[in-house]
Amino acid sequence: MKKLRITVNNMVYDVSVQVLEDDEQVMSGTAYPGSLPVPPTPARPSQAPTPAPASPAPGPSRPATGDANAIASPIAGTVQKVYVEVGKRVEAKSPAFLLDAMKMDTYIYAPRGGEVAEVLVGTGEAVQVGQVLMRYRPED
Amino acid sequence: MQRRFPDLDAKRARLQAGGGQERIDKQHQQGKLSARERLALLYDPNSFIEFGLWATHRCAELAGKEFPGDGVVTGKGEVHGRPVFAFAQDFTVGGGAVGDRHAQKIVECLWAALKMGTPVVGFNDSGGARIQEGVEALSGYGKIFYHNVLLSGVVPQISVIVGPCAGGAVYSPALTDFIIMVDSTSHMFIAGPEVIRAATGEIISEEDLGGANAQAAIAGNVHFVARDEHEAVEVVKVLLSYLPQNNMEGPPDIPFEEPLPDDEALDWIVPEDPRQAYDVRDVITRLVDHTVFLEVQAVFAPNIVVGFGRMAGMVVGIVANQPAVMAGVLDINAADKAARFIRTCNVFNIPVVTLMDVPGFLPGVAQEHGGIIRHGAKMLFTYASITVPKVTVILRKAYGGAYLAMCSKDMGADSVLAWPTAEIAVMGPEGAVRVIYRKELEKASDPQALLQEKIEEYRQTHANPYRAAEAFYLDDVIRPSWTKRLVVERLGVLRGKRDLRPQKKHGNIPL
């Protein structure tokens, strides 16, 4: 243990510092109280030190269809705009449709990138919750 | 140098090795850690004290088989200097299966945590019940569940799923306060893919059925998804940093001496056009200290946002409608998510700050038949019954029953503030005008023009905060840029709040 005196904003703090490497050497040889091994570090790029899980972009819950190649509407509403075209690529997280739902503009974002195989609704059309709006060309 | 008692050293080493290096290597290959490595990640160095290293099974059918620690490591240690009990199931020992001694170790760990008023963290990595032990194994589960319930509301219980957790075993985590799953290495389900295929013919993979993402986004059983076990343990530590040791203590507030200046950006965050959305998390991060917000259940029912933060050092639970998703409506899942979170805050003496911008409950047959009345009632019941300080800020829409469900003054808010953009009314302008002026609109020569005129009139008279403020349903109408300072002031006033309620076993919340 080392004692340190630290001054922050003219306030004096006395702190004790335990240097773990040194103290661990003292401990070695006695596997008591508990014996815990050093876990291996996972191979992943180390970056963000904040551990809180990354929040996703605001978007609807997963499509209710369970079909990974379909985008289903999370809410009932009227289609105001269609941003996707058959045969063209859509990028992940870009808007695919604009719905009028609960008297508000509600964007439906593409959950992943891919080629659009089918667009099943048009402007002005009413859609139900869970209704499939478009399908991706399946990826192999 | 020769040591005395070499036998003891050898025995201890064998028990501490669990199922042996070969099986531990196998765990590593799967991206998993051993039970002891998990506890080492959780605890401050040299703080771990183990209970029951020598305990093992007493099953005649398994006579002669060695199960070090009976497949679970239990004990106590410190997390950032605060005592925390933990158990970690050891998959390398008989697949981490639960027998009666294994269960006894967990139960005694829970009991000790209850007596000391200390949180418990459980690492679940188990193949299920030890079949050879029969009813003894079942009884073991039953005792664990019973004690989970006994501890519930007294000390925080956090479950980390780090492997299989199937069948009845899922109910121990399900009874705890928070569940963290690790992406792709952990699975939870009542009945696995094989059983489902035999019973219903549905074909689905383990991952799609009970993987972390399915459990978090679709089922809503899980609060956090971690990329690996290291991140999962970090989440546990962050979560503990917001929670008190037990229900008799306040949450771990920290000193905060900084001034709370006006935040002009908040004045511009709500769009002029009521049709347009904004991300309410941008409001939240501007209100919490150092923009640090721990969102709980981020991917489930994202039309409502809940989580922990600190305001001027005080731990708060935040509940906010999310206009950027499904217009921020309340539906079955949002109501369940919010009610559960608010009750968690109440149990652990954490004040609740509600940010309201809600267009209403979601209309639809699926919602009605799915029981939105019963589920929505959970929110109303919860807000009215909790006794921690409650401060509500109305950012924009506050319509109908949803206004009450988001903790209006009548539902028990201690303080309600409103931004000038607030619209407090029975329903939105267009809907209201169509009801009030139905006959006039039918007869009108130009119904569209009349509709627009009446909508504007309605906006002026109803869709603003001033009428509600005059009727004293609001404590104040404020510039958004003042929000943090004023909420903090009110939370400060409410610190000594006492909310006396009639004696009863418990209220009868609609479930």
Side-chain angles (χ1 to χ4, degrees):
Chain A
M1 297 282 244
K2 279 183 182 165
K3 295 234 181 237
L4 296 177
R5 176 159 295 175
I6 298 171
T7 309
V8 182
N9 288 341
N10 299 324
M11 292 284 286
V12 180
Y13 299 92
D14 285 327
V15 295
S16 312
V17 180
Q18 185 185 20
V19 182
L20 295 176
E21 289 83 0
D22 296 353
D23 290 345
E24 258 159 19
Q25 271 169 19
V26 177
M27 288 288 291
S28 70
T30 40
Y32 192 84
S35 167
L36 296 176
V38 179
T41 8
R44 72 172 141 91
S46 61
Q47 9 122 348
T50 31
S55 299
S61 312
R62 297 195 151 192
T65 58
D67 178 355
N69 289 316
I71 301 182
S73 180
I75 190 168
T78 312
V79 179
Q80 289 188 64
K81 274 184 193 144
V82 178
Y83 299 101
V84 288
E85 267 182 73
V86 174
K88 294 249 173 84
R89 233 193 108 73
V90 58
E91 295 306 324
K93 293 179 185 165
S94 63
F97 298 90
L98 174 61
L99 301 190
D100 175 293
M102 296 298 285
K103 301 189 182 67
M104 276 190 77
D105 293 345
T106 299
Y107 288 91
I108 311 296
Y109 297 93
R112 65 171 173 90
E115 193 191 320
V116 180
E118 244 183 314
V119 177
L120 296 133
V121 293
T123 307
E125 218 171 295
V127 295
Q128 295 304 314
V129 60
Q131 187 176 336
V132 175
L133 306 176
M134 64 156 269
R135 279 184 219 282
Y136 291 99
R137 187 163 304 289
E139 284 171 349
D140 324 289
Chain B
M1 190 178 62
Q2 201 189 342
R3 279 165 69 88
R4 209 177 162 189
F5 313 124
D7 284 7
L8 177 64
D9 287 346
K11 279 181 182 167
R12 292 183 68 90
R14 203 170 63 229
L15 292 173
Q16 283 166 353
Q21 196 54 47
E22 207 173 296
R23 291 195 185 135
I24 291 175
D25 290 343
K26 210 170 154 195
Q27 289 276 101
H28 291 169
Q29 282 157 20
Q30 293 171 347
K32 293 163 67 178
L33 298 176
S34 74
R36 280 169 200 277
E37 286 165 346
R38 286 164 182 155
L39 294 175
L41 276 185
L42 176 69
Y43 285 136
D44 301 344
N46 300 324
S47 71
F48 179 61
I49 300 170
E50 182 167 357
F51 308 141
L53 171 68
W54 300 83
T56 191
H57 69 86
R58 53 185 157 188
C59 175
E61 274 185 62
L62 296 168
K65 286 197 177 163
E66 203 173 41
F67 283 63
D70 211 33
V72 61
V73 183
T74 66
K76 190 221 129 196
E78 291 183 0
V79 177
H80 298 316
R82 300 164 80 204
V84 171
F85 282 80
F87 63 88
Q89 293 181 312
D90 191 343
F91 197 81
T92 68
V93 175
V98 175
D100 109 64
R101 190 79 74 196
H102 177 124
Q104 185 193 349
K105 284 181 72 177
I106 295 176
V107 166
E108 291 199 14
C109 180
L110 296 174
W111 247 119
L114 181 66
K115 282 190 284 189
M116 314 302 169
T118 300
V120 193
V121 177
F123 291 92
N124 294 262
D125 186 6
S126 164
R130 200 179 286 155
I131 297 167
Q132 295 88 338
E133 294 201 23
V135 70
E136 301 287 346
L138 275 184
S139 155
Y141 276 119
K143 288 184 180 118
I144 296 171
F145 300 164
Y146 183 86
H147 284 82
N148 284 136
V149 174
L150 206 59
L151 267 67
S152 183
V154 182
V155 295
Q157 298 182 84
I158 300 173
S159 300
V160 193
I161 315 299
V162 282
C165 182
V170 298
Y171 282 117
S172 173
L175 293 167
T176 63
D177 298 301
F178 295 99
I179 305 181
I180 299 154
M181 278 183 87
V182 179
D183 194 12
S184 76
T185 58
S186 66
H187 297 98
M188 286 182 91
F189 32 69
I190 296 285
E194 298 281 305
V195 180
I196 288 182
R197 188 155 71 160
T200 68
E202 292 164 298
I203 295 169
I204 189 163
S205 69
E206 259 197 355
E207 186 62 26
D208 286 348
L209 179 65
N213 291 309
Q215 286 295 0
I218 302 171
N221 291 326
V222 166
H223 302 84
F224 302 95
V225 177
R227 282 177 296 176
D228 54 39
E229 294 192 17
H230 289 248
E231 193 178 82
V233 172
E234 281 310 313
V235 174
V236 172
K237 293 185 189 184
V238 174
L239 199 47
L240 285 171
S241 78
Y242 290 107
L243 299 173
Q245 291 293 94
N246 57 63
N247 64 335
M248 302 298 282
E249 293 179 7
D253 294 345
I254 54 179
F256 187 90
E257 303 284 317
E258 293 163 47
L260 298 171
D262 292 355
D263 183 354
E264 302 282 342
L266 283 176
D267 285 341
W268 300 95
I269 224 157
V270 171
E272 293 270 330
D273 179 356
R275 296 187 53 83
Q276 275 182 15
Y278 57 93
D279 190 340
V280 79
R281 291 176 305 180
D282 293 339
V283 178
I284 295 171
T285 50
R286 288 185 167 276
L287 295 180
V288 293
D289 298 344
H290 316 299
T291 71
V292 179
F293 176 60
L294 177 67
E295 188 171 354
V296 176
Q297 287 196 293
V299 292
F300 180 67
N303 40 325
I304 200 156
V305 176
V306 301
F308 297 109
R310 281 190 172 79
M311 291 178 79
M314 290 180 280
V315 175
V316 292
I318 293 178
V319 180
N321 307 113
Q322 172 57 290
V325 179
M326 294 168 68
V329 286
L330 291 180
D331 60 0
I332 289 171
N333 288 345
D336 281 5
K337 170 178 164 180
R340 166 77 175 169
F341 176 76
I342 299 160
R343 284 168 63 87
T344 307
C345 291
N346 190 49
V347 150
F348 295 120
N349 308 316
I350 297 169
V352 175
V353 175
T354 304
L355 306 177
M356 194 189 320
D357 184 353
V358 63
F361 282 97
L362 179 62
V365 177
Q367 289 289 312
E368 297 293 342
H369 288 179
I372 183 70
I373 294 177
R374 169 166 56 97
H375 291 276
K378 292 177 196 184
M379 276 194 83
L380 294 146
F381 198 104
T382 297
Y383 268 126
S385 59
I386 66 169
T387 56
V388 290
K390 292 170 262 189
V391 175
T392 301
V393 184
I394 303 175
L395 312 186
R396 186 165 62 175
K397 292 173 190 172
Y399 292 156
Y403 156 65
L404 307 175
M406 288 302 292
C407 202
S408 64
K409 184 170 176 175
D410 303 297
M411 292 303 295
D414 298 295
S415 194
V416 183
L417 304 173
W419 288 4
T421 40
E423 304 172 13
I424 304 155
V426 173
M427 58 204 298
E430 191 180 329
V433 166
R434 284 187 190 280
V435 173
I436 302 169
Y437 299 102
R438 188 167 56 88
K439 283 186 185 149
E440 288 85 338
L441 284 167
E442 274 169 11
K443 282 184 245 156
S445 53
D446 186 352
Q448 261 313 313
L450 181 68
L451 184 70
Q452 289 313 319
E453 181 198 325
K454 292 296 177 193
I455 285 177
E456 197 43 46
E457 207 177 286
Y458 185 91
R459 272 193 196 292
Q460 296 297 328
T461 49
H462 292 276
N464 64 58
Y466 303 108
R467 242 177 102 147
E470 286 160 15
F472 198 27
Y473 294 120
L474 305 176
D475 291 284
D476 209 348
V477 183
I478 62 167
R479 291 193 77 84
S481 53
W482 304 339
T483 306
K484 180 165 183 176
R485 182 164 47 84
L486 296 186
V487 169
V488 165
E489 277 173 6
R490 279 168 163 73
L491 287 175
V493 170
L494 290 165
R495 276 213 154 164
K497 179 185 172 188
R498 289 177 77 188
D499 193 337
L500 300 176
R501 302 280 169 139
Q503 275 294 329
K504 50 182 154 182
K505 284 186 188 168
H506 53 72
N508 200 2
I509 187 167
L511 295 174

